[in-house]
Every structure is written in C-alpha cells, then in structure tokens.
Amino acid sequence: MILSLAPAFGPIFGGVVAYYLGWREIFLLVLPVAFVSLVISIKTVPTDHIKNAAFRFDYMSFAMLAIAFTTFLWALSQLEHGHVSGMLFALLIVAALAFAAFLYRAKHATRQFLNLGIFKVPALRFAMLGYVACMFTNLMVNFAVPTFVQLSLGATTMIAGFALMPGSLAGALLNPIYGRAYDVYGPKMPLLAGNAAFVVIMMVWSMMTMNGTVISMTIFYLLMTLGRNLAFGTSMTAGLAQLSLPERADGNAIFNTAQQFAGAIGTTVASLLMKVNPDSAASVATQTARGAQHVFWFMLALGVLNFVWFNRFLKHNAPYSE
C-alpha cells in the first residue's frame, strides 16, 4: 500500500512545486526529507546482528551491483542522441563486466550479499518477471501521461500532476481488497483478471490517444491502475510465498531492487519513445501525442507478455510449507 501511495503524491508534489517554484526546487525540497529519514533510520532500525564475518555487509558486492546498474542506465540514455556511439558500447561493456564480477563474487565470496540461489525456484522467476513488467509499465505511464497533458494538451504542470492522483489513490486504497482476493481465491484470479483488465484498457487507450483530453487521460489512468495493481501486488506476494521464511528477506530485497531498476528503465524508454525531433515538420504537440501512443502500444505488448509469465508461474506454483 505504501509503495502504491508514492506514485500518487509524487507527481502532485512535483507538479505543484514546478508550477510555483521550478524543477530544481523539487530536488532541494526532497533533500531534507531524505536526511531526516536517514537519521530516523539510524536511530530506530535494529542493529542486533550476529557477530560473524559472513554476515557483515559486503561493500564490494554492493559497489559492483551499483556500477552495473548505473552504467547500464547511462548507456540507455545515450540513445537520446539518436545514434549508436562508442560511449554506448563502452558503458554496456562496463555494465556487463561489473555484473559478471558481482555474480562471481556472489558464488565464491565468504560474505553473502544476496542469496541468488532463490532463482532456482521456477515459480519465483516467473512471478518476478511479471512483477518487473508491471513496475516497468507503471513508471512508463507515469512519465507519458503528464508529458502528454502538458505538451499536447497545453495544461500546466500542476494539472498534469493531478491527472495521476485519482488512479494512484484508488489503486493504493484498494490494495487491502486485492489482498483479500488473494487470500480467498489464490493467485490465479488476481493475476489473470488484473492483467486482462490492464490489457483491455491499454488497447482502448492506445487507439484513442490522438483524441485524448485531460479528463480521458485521468479516467484511463484510473482504470488501468485498478487492473495493473491487482496483478502487481499479487505477483510479489505469490512469488515470495515460494520461499522459506529465512529466504524471504533476500527475496524481498531482490524484488524491491528489481522494482527500482525496472522503473528507471521504464522512464528512460518512455522518454526515448516520446522524444521530440526539432527538425520534424509535425508540431511538438503532435509528436508528443504520437510518442505517447507508442508508449501505450509498448505497454500493451508487455501486458500480453505478462499472460505468458503468469501462466508459467501458475504451472509451477508450489507455496513453501514450513
């Protein structure tokens, strides 16, 4: 529920601040919040760890993974220039080497940063693929809708932010009901019904993008969120249910890491699809609308692919019994 509430307030905060102050103030105002959060965490998070070298934090593995993720995203951003460059290949090579080093260290080091052995569980892998796809689409649409509302419809940043609010709030507040549906029906109904609703909405939304209005964008986003969140939350819950209790800490960490990385990639891909070409004869509004339509078609394809992941998960579904 907390994860779902963040996208509801983030665009509103960003839209209001950008409207009254400027985009740089978005980061300046968030900085004190991050600092206070750090202080509170240091003082409240339990630190009663086992005094064993094997359980100390592995800074080397952390650094390797950070380098791999950062350079990969940096490489992806190079595509904004419209051509393949030597820098792109160099960054991809660094990312691949850093990730390979991370995997090697995870297998041979005495300290365990993450238990990658949980990926041997087939159901977990397919649940995570579906989860990542849902998060990927979440950040894609959270970028596409405000951009479309501003550049194609001429609305302010504040209106663009508020366009996402009804859907994000509804998705977050309905999460307890979605959880209850999982308890009663198991994972099959929430996964397939949620994804089916998402696919249908994305199909209609894709076809109506060029005639979109602020109201229609808000309504479509609301309906899309209801379906996506039903599958999104269930995929993580059902995936972690495949693991033993000690393994779930690693599973939770990997799910959350994958979520952040997928979101970053989704935003980058959406920005590339909606890039405006200054040399084009079409107006900025028209180019942005076409780019948004491409984003929605891309999301539709991911939704269809999710049926494959979710059906594979259901085939291997075997919740761990203590």
Side-chain angles (χ1 to χ4, degrees), residues 24-301:
R24 291 179 178 83
E25 281 69 20
I26 294 175
F27 300 96
L28 293 175
L29 292 175
V30 167
L31 185 59
V33 178
F35 178 75
V36 172
S37 176
L38 175 63
V39 173
I40 293 174
S41 299
I42 291 173
K43 292 186 174 296
T44 59
V45 174
T47 56
D48 299 328
H49 303 303
I50 300 175
K51 304 302 181 181
N52 188 315
F55 291 92
R56 294 175 186 169
F57 188 77
D58 190 349
Y59 290 97
M60 183 62 71
S61 293
F62 173 78
M64 292 174 180
L65 197 58
I67 292 172
F69 285 167
T70 303
T71 51
F72 180 80
L73 290 174
W74 190 1
L76 202 60
S77 70
Q78 295 297 306
L79 295 175
E80 293 180 1
H81 303 300
H83 61 274
V84 177
S85 64
M87 174 66 77
L88 171 66
F89 287 109
L91 290 170
L92 287 176
I93 291 172
V94 172
L97 291 175
F99 191 66
F102 169 77
L103 293 177
Y104 180 84
R105 185 172 178 83
K107 186 176 181 180
H108 296 91
T110 55
R111 299 181 187 179
Q112 186 181 77
F113 183 72
L114 284 173
N115 178 15
L116 300 182
I118 63 176
F119 284 108
K120 295 179 181 178
V121 181
L124 175 77
R125 296 198 300 267
F126 292 115
M128 183 169 290
L129 285 171
Y131 179 85
V132 166
C134 287
M135 190 60 191
F136 191 91
T137 59
N138 182 29
L139 270 294
M140 284 191 77
V141 73
N142 282 7
F143 177 89
V145 171
T147 304
F148 175 86
V149 170
Q150 290 178 72
L151 299 185
S152 293
L153 303 181
T156 63
T157 57
M158 183 160 45
I159 295 298
F162 275 98
L164 302 182
M165 184 179 69
S168 297
L169 285 177
L173 296 176
L174 285 174
N175 271 348
I177 298 176
Y178 292 166
R180 180 60 178 167
Y182 174 83
D183 292 337
V184 174
Y185 302 106
K188 184 175 182 178
M189 188 282 286
L191 287 176
L192 299 184
N195 199 59
F198 172 81
V199 167
V200 170
I201 293 301
M202 290 312 306
M203 186 179 299
V204 178
W205 201 356
S206 301
M207 292 185 291
M208 297 182 63
T209 304
M210 301 305 293
N211 298 315
T213 63
V214 175
I215 296 299
S216 68
M217 288 289 117
T218 303
I219 293 174
F220 276 123
Y221 183 80
L222 168 64
L223 297 175
M224 182 275 299
T225 301
L226 298 182
R228 186 202 60 220
N229 278 23
L230 180 56
F232 177 64
T234 301
S235 59
M236 181 175 182
T237 303
L240 292 177
Q242 311 297 313
L243 306 175
S244 65
L245 194 58
E247 292 174 325
R248 288 177 191 171
D250 290 286
N252 186 60
I254 292 173
F255 265 96
N256 280 285
T257 301
Q259 169 189 312
Q260 301 298 326
F261 189 57
I265 297 176
T267 302
T268 304
V269 171
S271 68
L272 292 174
L273 291 174
M274 296 184 69
K275 181 183 177 183
V276 173
N277 180 6
D279 298 325
S280 174
S283 65
V284 171
T286 301
Q287 290 187 65
T288 302
R290 289 173 181 169
Q293 188 175 45
H294 295 156
V295 169
F296 299 147
W297 281 118
F298 191 95
M299 291 169 60
L300 174 61

